[in-house]
Amino acid sequence: MAADTIFARASGAGRAGVAVYRISGPDAVRILKQLVGKEIAQREAAYVAIRDPADGSVIDRGLALLFAGPKSFTGEDVAELSLHGARSVEEALYAALASLGARPAEAGEFTLRALKNAKLDLAQVEALADLIDSETTLQRKQALGQLDGRLSETAEGWRKELLAVMAPLEADIDFPDEGDVPAAVAARAGPAIARLKTSLTTFFNQSVSARKIREGVSIAIIGPPNAGKSSLVNALAGSEVAIVSDIAGTTRDIVEARLDLGGVLATVADTAGLRSVAGMAGDVIEEEGVKRAKKRAENADIRVLVVDASEVVSRETLFEGGVENVPRETLALLQPGDMIVWNKWDKASSAKSLETAHSPYTELPVSAKTGAGMAAFLDALTQKATGEANSEGPALTRARHVAAVEEALAALTRAEANIERAPELAAEDARLAARALGKITGAVSVEDVLGEIFSSFCIGK
Ligand SMILES: Nc1nc2c(ncn2[C@@H]2O[C@H](COP(=O)(O)OP(=O)(O)OP(=O)(O)O)[C@@H](O)[C@H]2O)c(=O)[nH]1
Ligand SMILES: [Mg+2]
């Protein structure tokens, strides 16, 4: 059965100077001709009047483009109309298209057709979704790279290597008399499997930081009540995202701000001030807030401890057993490379200085109130965020890719163990590894993951 011809607005919803409508399917050429009353040349913009087939009245005037399949986004015949982005135009156009035999597209249906017609593979479909969702420069670059097929090429390269590994193993099984003795098979296939394992593992490890580009880096702002955490987050965000007051325990829940730090998307979490259960005097809401703050600190990529520099006498007192407000328990949340912001520097005694040369942390004097030191703090934070995220080369940007490589690695490990004793088992393991890698691009059947991937698409994509 031939596919339906489908249509949708490809550009964003709402009023706009121009809106782009896409029509894809076997009837696209005929429908376009009926709408504009003439043949349109392929791949040439034509200025046309779109007419209502019912009475010939003009719906709107705009540009029409025709892409004959398979050289189109979906691989089918595709017509694109750039019309005025008005609801009235859209309604009249949709009615006309429906009367000519097309139906509205479902979410992601254009891309699904592109996948079915092998215009894109699965990793590229995901990259397209990521590109549409990208907020920062690095997210955009990463998505574009994967859309160009960087990951797909890598994954296919591994699969080819595996096939080469499998050849001697299978020959040994099929022609045991003519084949090499098992030890010779192992000598040939073994090193190749080991090499592949190494490159998969290296790639796997590198991908941890690449995923940070897609998912964003998480930063937790922690510290005692009233230290100025919310003030700092507001200063970073450039807006009053969190309530600031001189009442200790103002922030209860986690308040998030999203920042673009040097092209890396960062989620900065303002948290409840950390104090002892005794200090909270049975306030269950604050207790829950402190619990959430600690959990966020543990899970974050970067922690920033904010202390009130006008209160803490010196660094030495802080680190030697902690001070009343910043107990050891709070300091213990920090990991090497995290930051300490000495806030309220404007109020700190003028003789105070920060001797931080040997500190495991990046420590900076800041005044969230006056803005002094904020530029240096932002620089340091940006450096840390970009250090967490790596944008070079192809990467396993999604959990699905990671699972596929993990599966392949496990199969290769079994293959290595079996290779001398039972080459037929090793061959089967190598086949399973190739299958797992094939899931990345969809070279093997992946019906089960399609729903999940396409659920993130909206109509018109
Ligand atoms: N002088 C001075 N005051 C500051 C500075 N930063 C914050 N403050 C003041 O300190 C008080 C507490 O600020 P917040 O930002 O609410 O502190 P917090 O750490 O979020 O407090 P909790 O949410 O209660 O844990 C407010 O009165 C701020 O105006 C600063 O750099 N200098
Ligand atoms: Mg606060």
Side-chain angles (χ1 to χ4, degrees):
M1 205 187 81
D4 292 342
T5 296
I6 53 173
F7 64 85
R9 180 166 170 163
S11 56
R15 290 167 67 230
V18 177
V20 178
Y21 297 90
R22 196 184 259 155
I23 305 157
S24 179
D27 292 330
V29 175
R30 184 216 6 119
I31 289 174
L32 180 65
K33 188 178 169 194
Q34 282 179 274
L35 279 178
V36 305
K38 60 179 178 187
E39 297 267 358
I40 298 283
Q42 274 185 51
R43 298 174 169 269
E44 268 177 39
Y47 183 66
V48 295
I50 304 290
R51 289 179 190 275
D52 187 338
D55 58 8
S57 66
V58 173
I59 293 173
D60 194 11
R61 285 178 224 280
L63 291 183
L65 267 169
L66 186 64
F67 303 90
K71 289 171 83 179
S72 69
F73 174 67
T74 58
E76 304 174 320
D77 287 345
V78 170
E80 275 184 20
L81 299 172
S82 301
L83 305 176
H84 296 103
R87 182 188 284 261
S88 62
V89 172
E90 184 160 306
E91 279 181 6
L93 177 71
Y94 284 10
L97 287 167
S99 77
L100 292 171
R103 70 160 169 84
E106 285 165 25
E109 200 171 2
F110 291 105
T111 310
L112 185 59
R113 289 186 175 193
L115 178 73
K116 291 208 162 134
N117 292 326
K119 301 297 292 188
L120 296 174
D121 66 33
L122 213 47
Q124 289 173 309
V125 165
E126 289 168 324
L128 179 60
D130 289 343
L131 179 62
I132 292 168
D133 286 337
S134 68
E135 292 180 47
T136 69
T137 315
L138 292 181
Q139 284 181 326
R140 173 172 58 78
K141 288 190 173 162
Q142 183 180 64
L144 268 175
Q146 311 262 99
L147 186 55
D148 281 346
R150 283 205 302 212
L151 173 60
S152 311
E153 280 162 23
T154 310
E156 282 307 296
W158 290 330
R159 240 161 57 88
K160 289 215 181 80
E161 272 182 57
L162 258 178
L163 296 181
V165 169
M166 277 155 64
L169 289 174
E170 306 218 320
D172 182 65
I173 297 162
D174 294 342
F175 311 103
D177 299 333
E178 303 158 35
D180 301 326
V181 287
V185 173
R188 280 210 281 154
I193 291 181
R195 255 199 323 275
L196 194 60
K197 266 184 71 180
T198 309
S199 52
L200 280 176
T201 307
T202 309
F203 198 79
F204 188 87
N205 294 338
Q206 281 168 356
S207 290
V208 173
S209 53
R211 269 198 305 290
K212 293 276 171 17
I213 295 207
R214 176 168 176 268
E215 291 161 10
V217 169
S218 141
I219 300 172
I221 310 288
I222 57 169
N226 251 341
K229 300 178 296 299
S230 300
S231 306
L232 192 74
V233 169
N234 288 349
L236 281 174
S239 69
E240 305 298 304
V241 288
I243 301 172
V244 166
S245 88
D246 56 7
I247 302 164
T250 301
T251 307
R252 304 296 189 89
D253 220 333
I254 287 176
V255 180
E256 290 185 345
R258 284 157 84 81
L259 297 183
D260 180 340
L261 295 178
V264 174
L265 178 70
T267 305
V268 180
D270 181 19
T271 61
L274 298 169
R275 58 176 155 182
S276 65
V277 174
M280 292 184 272
D283 183 335
V284 288
I285 300 173
E286 191 176 359
E287 277 177 33
E288 176 61 25
V290 167
K291 220 157 83 190
R292 290 182 183 199
K294 286 183 182 160
K295 185 147 174 257
R296 180 58 74 105
E298 280 160 15
N299 294 334
D301 298 309
I302 302 162
R303 283 144 294 272
V304 179
L305 172 64
V306 183
V307 296
D308 183 339
S310 68
E311 246 180 19
V312 179
V313 186
S314 69
R315 287 185 73 240
E316 288 65 37
T317 53
L318 179 67
F319 289 114
E320 284 158 18
V323 292
E324 188 193 353
N325 242 346
V326 192
R328 271 183 189 281
E329 197 192 325
T330 298
L331 282 172
L333 291 169
L334 291 185
Q335 294 176 15
D338 282 343
M339 301 186 73
I340 299 181
V341 161
W342 292 83
N343 191 36
K344 307 198 187 183
W345 201 254
D346 54 298
K347 257 178 36 178
S349 76
S350 56
K352 211 156 180 165
S353 73
L354 275 187
E355 226 0 283
T356 63
H358 301 294
S359 175
Y361 314 113
T362 304
E363 302 183 40
L364 291 168
V366 161
S367 170
K369 194 167 200 164
T370 67
M374 279 303 293
F377 170 53
L378 191 61
D379 272 357
L381 201 57
T382 303
Q383 220 171 55
K384 290 201 188 291
T386 48
E388 292 280 330
N390 167 26
S391 58
E392 298 302 315
L396 309 170
T397 45
R398 294 195 174 215
R400 197 182 69 77
H401 312 156
V402 172
V405 170
E406 271 174 337
E407 199 182 323
L409 274 170
L412 286 176
T413 305
R414 286 195 308 271
E416 256 183 336
N418 283 330
I419 198 158
E420 292 215 23
R421 211 166 25 82
E424 69 283 2
L425 288 184
E428 177 58 18
D429 287 326
R431 238 193 317 276
L432 288 175
R435 224 187 105 73
L437 292 174
K439 288 183 186 173
I440 293 177
T441 58
V444 297
S445 158
V446 280
E447 287 299 328
D448 46 330
V449 299
L450 284 184
E452 194 193 317
I453 292 169
F454 277 91
S455 65
S456 71
F457 277 86
C458 48
I459 291 177
K461 306 291 178 322

